[in-house]
Amino acid sequence: DIDLASFGATWERYIKDSTGLREESTYNARDYIIRQRAFLQRLLDRPRIFLTDFFYARYESRARANIHRYMALLEQEQG
């Protein structure tokens, strides 16, 4: 859960972390978006993103909102 904690951060922190990860990526923009959207969709398809009750109670709903919002941005970018 600690590895996924940034998904439940504030939107500002989440987008900063996501931008940082993207800048470190070796994929071109198109491939990055395809892979990132697939990964994020797998997280959303899980019954719970966070397995521990501690993280689930504190971050689950914000994480899902952040992921949906980011996926919408990626979709716009992909066109």
Side-chain angles (χ1 to χ4, degrees):
D1 282 353
I2 195 71
D3 292 335
L4 301 176
S6 67
F7 287 105
T10 63
W11 173 250
E12 293 77 18
R13 182 66 196 185
Y14 175 79
I15 200 70
K16 182 179 178 184
D17 289 349
S18 295
T19 301
L21 286 173
R22 186 173 186 169
E23 289 171 356
E24 294 174 7
S25 174
T26 59
Y27 295 109
N28 65 46
R30 179 183 170 279
D31 289 344
Y32 178 85
I33 291 170
I34 290 169
R35 290 171 182 270
Q36 187 66 4
R37 288 182 67 205
F39 170 72
L40 295 172
Q41 188 60 57
R42 284 193 303 274
L43 285 178
L44 291 174
D45 289 345
R46 292 166 49 167
R48 290 172 64 145
I49 294 171
F50 299 103
L51 302 179
T52 63
D53 291 337
F54 177 87
F55 278 87
Y56 179 79
R58 284 162 182 78
Y59 303 116
E60 183 79 17
S61 80
R62 189 180 316 166
R64 289 186 177 276
N66 284 341
I67 291 169
H68 281 290
R69 189 172 176 184
Y70 189 59
M71 285 183 69
L73 289 176
L74 292 174
E75 187 174 331
Q76 287 177 342
E77 186 178 333
Q78 189 176 21

